[in-house]
Amino acid sequence: MNSTSGYSNGYVNQPQRVGASHRERARRGARGGRSRESRDGFRVSGEQQQREGEQKVTPCTDFDMAYFHSYAHVGIHEEMIKDRVRTETYRAAIMQHKSYIEGKVVVDVGCGTGILSIFCAQAGAKRVYAVDASDIAVQANEVVKANNLSEKIIVLHGRVEDVEIDEEVDVIISEWMGYMLLYESMLGSVITARDRWLKCGGIILPSNATLYMAPVTHPDRYSESIDFWRNVYGIDMSAMMPLAKQCAFEEPSVETISGENVLTWPHMVKHVDCYTIQVHELESVTTRYKFKSMMRAPLHGFAFWFDVEFSGPATSPINTIANDPPVDGVQNKKRTNPNDALVLSTAPEDPPTHWQQTVIYFYDPVEVEQDQLIEGLVTLSQSKENRRFMNIHLEYTSGGRSFVKESVMR
């Protein structure tokens, strides 16, 4: 990072946190706001000011600052851009909606290196506001200049709550999804951008998202992490097993599983309509589930994954599955796409992405028979300490036995 650029972010600089762990990687802390013009069309946020008649601006906490700074590290952006499923789906979605973008004004919430902003410019956007609170915005501006797009793309270095855009926008694009979809709470920034700038009839890409869960069996994972200690070079180290279980399974695990690990059709935990969702709805999500196991196997935990859909304006019909009741407590595996909307999926049976799947493991497996019911509830809530963390409360009953698992995704 070039510290001699002369740009001020309107906040005190903190040391960069590099080499963040897989789970700590912040998805994107982009948010835009009150700004002042700098050279070459690059703008940086100034003092936060209360806009007359508007709601109080959400304060930027130390946790937010750490989150934004983690995104200044190039490795995070390299990982995301190299995820071809992610990046090529976004590019295809932009080109599929070219008629909505061409000649129009776009805001890219959490622009990172600016790649989605550039895709929008290539699709004919009249102007793109590329917003990011991380210092990666400085590099994004250099990328824009190197591609001779400074006349079309304006990089705004600041939070969406703080940056000023002096016109309504036709399109909002953002890659806001975290692990388990809602981890890191970046969707709130998209909601803020929508409420501040999106024209009536404008489009949001992606337009909606769905989080799923399903019970899984994973004997190999359990064997590698736990059963390993039963015999270590001929030595009985089973006394290590309780600690091994705690270390391996206390927190959610972000890993890749296959469709063979999944015991049932998935259940829909939360459907998000990006045109109507409100910030308070993200504070806590609770759903009751009921599964029927398709096979006899040890139940090791529950896996979570999501998909997002890129469809047209808000006037398009909302997918009906959001309101359809489950059949025997089981949701359909996939949403129907009546308009053949483009879908980016992180499901176990689909091509892998950097999001992988998130698995909540039990400390001890539960044996289930074919057709045995597995039921309970799950609550996902923002941590009161840091809203970007996720508290997970999982209750499950099977074979007359009931269990509770508490976990925090940090």
Side-chain angles (χ1 to χ4, degrees), residues 2 57 74 79 123 128 144-145 165 180 187 205 247 254-255 264 321 324 345 361-362 380 382 386 399:
N2 183 0
V57 173
V74 69
E79 178 188 39
V128 182
V144 167
K145 288 194 292 184
I165 295 177
M180 289 182 72
L187 178 55
L205 299 175
C247 293
V254 177
E255 60 185 77
T264 72
I321 190 171
D324 284 349
S345 172
Y361 281 103
F362 307 152
L380 311 177
Q382 294 177 357
N386 178 1

Side-chain angles (χ1 to χ4, degrees), residues 99-113:
S99 61
Y100 295 103
I101 295 172
E102 197 166 18
K104 301 297 178 64
V105 179
V106 179
V107 62
D108 178 359
V109 179
C111 67
T113 58

